[in-house]
Amino acid sequence: MKKTASAVAVLLTLLAAASAIEVNQPELESKGADSIQFENYSGPHAVIETAAAITNIGTVLGAQVAQAPEEPAVIQPNGKYTLIHAVDPDTPEKLDADILVLNANAGVDHIKNLRRIIIGYLTAAYGYDTTDADTLATFITVYNAVYRGQFSVFTEKYKETVIQNLTEEKAGLSTNWEEWPGRTQIVVPLSVLRDGLSAVDTTTISDEQVIDALKQDEGKNIEARENMASIKERESTDATVKAQEAQKEAAQQKAAAAAAETPEEAEAAAAKAEEAAQVATEQQQQADKKRVEAKAEREDIAKDKEEKVPVVDTSNYLTGLFVSDEANGLYKFITVDGVEGTTVLSSPVTQIRNRNVYPVTDITITGEDGEQTLYPTMYLAVCGLDNSHSAIKLCLIDATRLEIQKESTEMLAEGTDLLRQGDSFYAIIRDSDGSCYLGQYDKNLTLLHKSSSAVKTSSPLNMTTKGILVTDSSGAPRMLSTDDLSTIW
C-alpha cells in the first residue's frame, strides 16, 4: 500500500514544479479590506440541481410579477423562496422594490446559484435579456451585501410599503452562505415598472460604495462594470427618444388648442400639451442623468485598465494538506510561502476525509454550458460529510484555486480508504440501501467497475501482488481483481 507521506510528498513536489516563476495577478493574491467576498459552500452535494432548474426558480416568481407589475403581490409565501412585489403607485416619493426572501428551507448555497435565481426572475418579470440580467444580478447581490446591517439606508430610500415588509436583522445579504436560509431579504430597487430596461433602478445598485466594493475584487470586475455602463447608455438613449416623442406630442396638442372650435376643446388640448411637456422634461432629465453616470463610469474603468498589474513571484509557494477539523479528522489544502512561512491561499474545501490525496494531470471538464476547461494539475480526494446537505464523494480539486471542480456521481462510505494503482483509483461506494461495494474509477471520476461482492463500510483496501484484499460484508477476507474487481477468491 502506498504510504501517506509519499502521497503528500508527491503532491507538494508536483505543484511546486508546476508553479510559474512569475504570474499576473494570481488567485493567490490577498483581497482588499473593503471587498465583498462571498463564502460559498465548497463541498460535494447530496442533491445536485442543474443550472436551468435553479434559474427556473426565479423564472416562476418573475412570471407572476409580469402579470400585474403595478399591483403589489406576495408570491409563494410558503415556498423555499418568496417574492414580495412591494409597489405603491400612489406614492411618488422614494422607491418601490421587489424583495426576494430566502426562507428557512431555501437550499441555495453558492452566490452563482443565487444570481441565477435573480436572473430568472428579472428576465421573466421585466423582459431583460440574459446578459443584462446577469449584470444586474451581480450588482444587486453586492449592493445587498454592502448595505447588510445598515437598515437606515433602506428606510431613507424606500417607500413605506417596502419597509413594512423588511426586518432589520434580515434585510440585505450576508457574505456567508450559512446565514442565508431564513435570514435573508434581498432588496431590488425598482424604477419604471413597465419600461423593461429601466425596471430596476440602476443608479441605486451601482452607487459609489458598491463600485468601490466591486473594484476591490480581483480584476476590479471590469466586465460587469462595463456592462452596467452599457445598460445606462441604452437607458439614456431610450429616455431621449421618449423625450422627443413627448415634445412632438406637446407641440401637436398646442396646435390643437389653438385650432379648437370651443373653449372646452382648447382647455383639454392645452392640458394634454402641458402633461406631454412635463413628460418630455422628466425623460430628458433621466436621459442626462444616465448619460453622465455612464460617462463617469467609463472614465473610471479606463483608469483601472491603465493600472499595471503587479507581478507575484510564486516560485517558493508550496501546497499541502493541513488539519481543518481535528475532532472529525478533516483536512484542507493550504498554499504557503516556503521562505516566509505565510499562508497565501487557504482552500474553501475543508472536508477532505483522509490523507491519501493524489495529483492527476491533464483533466478536461465540461461545464453545464458546454464549455470545456483543461486543468493541467488537479487533486483527487475523498471529500464531504454525510448529511442532508452534503455527501461523501470523490472530488477533483484544481491546483490554482483549490476548489472542487467535479465530484463523483456515486456516494462513498464514510470510512472509505482511497487507493491508487496506475491510472485507477479505488474507493468504497455506498448504495442507497446502505450496502457497500468496492468501486474502480479513472482520473475523470468515471466509475469503471463495481464489485459484485458487498464489503464492510470501513474495510481496509490492501493492495497485494494478487489483487485487492478486502473485508467482505460477512467479515471474511476476499480478494478482488485490480482489473475489473471480479472475485478471485
Side-chain angles (χ1 to χ4, degrees):
M1 180 179 293
K2 291 181 179 290
K3 293 189 179 295
T4 297
S6 150
V8 176
V10 170
L11 188 67
L12 291 170
T13 303
L14 246 171
L15 185 57
S19 297
I21 293 178
E22 293 185 342
V23 295
N24 291 332
Q25 197 80 0
E27 299 297 337
L28 308 179
E29 183 185 18
S30 61
K31 305 298 182 183
D34 296 326
S35 65
I36 297 296
Q37 297 298 312
F38 290 102
E39 298 176 34
N40 307 298
Y41 172 69
S42 299
H45 290 83
V47 178
I48 299 178
E49 292 188 89
T50 65
I54 294 168
T55 302
N56 191 58
I57 294 170
T59 303
V60 171
L61 297 172
Q64 295 185 60
V65 172
Q67 294 176 12
E70 295 181 353
E71 296 181 8
V74 178
I75 300 166
Q76 292 187 351
N78 299 316
K80 292 182 179 181
Y81 306 88
T82 299
L83 187 72
I84 302 173
H85 187 56
V87 296
D88 181 6
D90 296 328
T91 302
E93 296 82 15
K94 297 189 177 183
L95 295 170
D96 294 314
D98 282 337
I99 305 168
L100 177 62
V101 182
L102 308 188
N103 295 315
N105 56 344
V108 64
D109 60 11
H110 198 291
I111 190 62
K112 68 181 180 182
N113 287 333
L114 181 54
R115 287 172 178 166
R116 282 169 174 159
I117 293 173
I118 296 172
I119 290 168
Y121 134 70
L122 291 175
T123 55
Y126 304 116
Y128 284 101
D129 65 30
T130 302
T131 299
D132 287 344
D134 190 354
T135 299
L136 294 172
T138 297
F139 276 80
I140 287 167
T141 49
V142 174
Y143 167 75
N144 276 269
V146 166
Y147 292 109
R148 172 82 165 185
Q150 301 182 51
F151 198 65
S152 61
V153 173
F154 297 107
T155 58
E156 289 171 5
K157 284 185 174 291
Y158 293 90
K159 296 179 183 180
E160 184 61 26
T161 187
V162 177
I163 302 305
Q164 288 175 350
N165 285 288
L166 291 177
T167 305
E168 184 169 355
E169 62 271 17
K170 296 181 181 180
L173 178 65
S174 169
T175 56
N176 186 345
W177 72 273
E178 292 182 294
E179 297 178 2
W180 291 355
R183 290 181 278 178
T184 303
Q185 296 171 328
I186 297 173
V187 180
V188 182
L190 300 176
S191 181
V192 185
L193 296 179
R194 292 191 177 276
D195 188 16
L197 192 63
S198 295
V200 175
D201 190 325
T202 53
T203 299
T204 298
I205 62 173
S206 63
D207 67 15
E208 184 176 357
Q209 290 194 54
V210 173
I211 294 297
D212 284 347
L214 288 167
K215 290 171 69 174
Q216 294 300 322
D217 202 358
E218 181 195 355
K220 297 182 182 292
N221 277 292
I222 295 292
E223 183 177 0
R225 290 162 58 202
E226 286 181 326
N227 291 342
M228 176 58 78
S230 173
I231 291 174
K232 290 184 177 181
E233 287 163 350
R234 283 177 280 141
E235 284 184 290
S236 177
T237 299
D238 288 353
T240 298
V241 171
K242 289 171 184 173
Q244 293 170 346
E245 292 173 348
Q247 289 169 351
K248 291 180 182 178
E249 175 66 16
Q252 291 172 355
Q253 292 299 333
K254 286 181 180 179
E261 297 180 356
T262 66
E264 292 77 12
E265 291 177 347
E267 184 178 352
K272 290 181 180 179
E274 184 177 351
E275 182 180 347
Q278 179 64 27
V279 171
T281 299
E282 292 174 354
Q283 288 293 334
Q284 192 56 55
Q285 289 174 343
Q286 178 76 348
D288 293 342
K289 175 184 177 183
K290 296 297 182 180
R291 184 176 62 255
V292 169
E293 288 181 13
K295 183 175 182 293
E297 289 171 17
R298 291 286 189 192
E299 291 173 350
D300 193 34
I301 291 168
K303 291 179 182 178
D304 288 340
K305 285 183 173 181
E306 291 175 358
E307 290 185 6
K308 292 184 178 180
V309 179
V311 176
V312 179
D313 181 359
T314 63
S315 59
N316 292 312
Y317 286 177
L318 300 172
T319 296
L321 284 178
F322 290 78
V323 174
S324 63
D325 184 345
E326 186 173 8
N328 293 300
L330 300 178
Y331 304 88
K332 66 177 179 179
F333 283 115
I334 288 180
T335 298
V336 297
D337 187 312
V339 175
E340 298 180 358
T342 55
T343 299
V344 292
L345 180 64
S346 181
S347 172
V349 186
T350 59
Q351 304 170 354
I352 296 176
R353 297 196 63 85
N354 61 54
R355 289 172 287 178
N356 285 347
V357 176
Y358 301 98
V360 290
T361 58
D362 298 328
I363 304 294
T364 298
I365 294 178
T366 303
E368 288 191 339
D369 57 1
E371 184 177 350
Q372 292 187 328
T373 303
L374 174 63
Y375 294 91
T377 304
M378 303 192 83
Y379 306 127
L380 195 152
V382 177
C383 305
L385 298 173
D386 187 9
N387 58 41
S388 59
H389 187 85
S390 182
I392 301 171
K393 295 183 177 182
L394 283 180
C395 297
L396 284 172
I397 301 171
D398 73 271
T400 303
R401 294 178 177 270
L402 301 182
E403 297 176 352
I404 291 177
Q405 301 299 341
K406 188 176 182 180
E407 58 190 68
S408 63
T409 302
E410 302 77 20
M411 296 186 184
L412 304 183
E414 186 171 3
T416 183
D417 279 341
L418 177 60
L419 194 63
R420 177 179 192 171
Q421 184 183 62
D423 294 329
S424 292
F425 300 86
Y426 304 89
I428 298 174
I429 299 169
R430 178 175 59 83
D431 280 357
S432 57
D433 62 0
S435 55
C436 294
Y437 303 86
L438 187 60
Q440 178 185 7
Y441 290 84
D442 65 15
K443 67 179 183 179
N444 297 298
L445 305 189
T446 300
L447 181 63
L448 303 175
H449 300 286
K450 176 180 172 182
S451 67
S452 58
S453 302
V455 300
K456 288 285 190 182
T457 302
S458 57
S459 170
L461 306 182
N462 301 284
M463 182 63 69
T464 75
T465 57
K466 303 294 185 181
I468 302 176
L469 181 62
V470 298
T471 307
D472 72 13
S473 56
S474 68
R478 188 176 293 270
M479 185 70 72
L480 303 177
S481 167
T482 56
D483 293 332
D484 59 5
L485 299 184
S486 59
T487 300
I488 297 175
W489 48 261

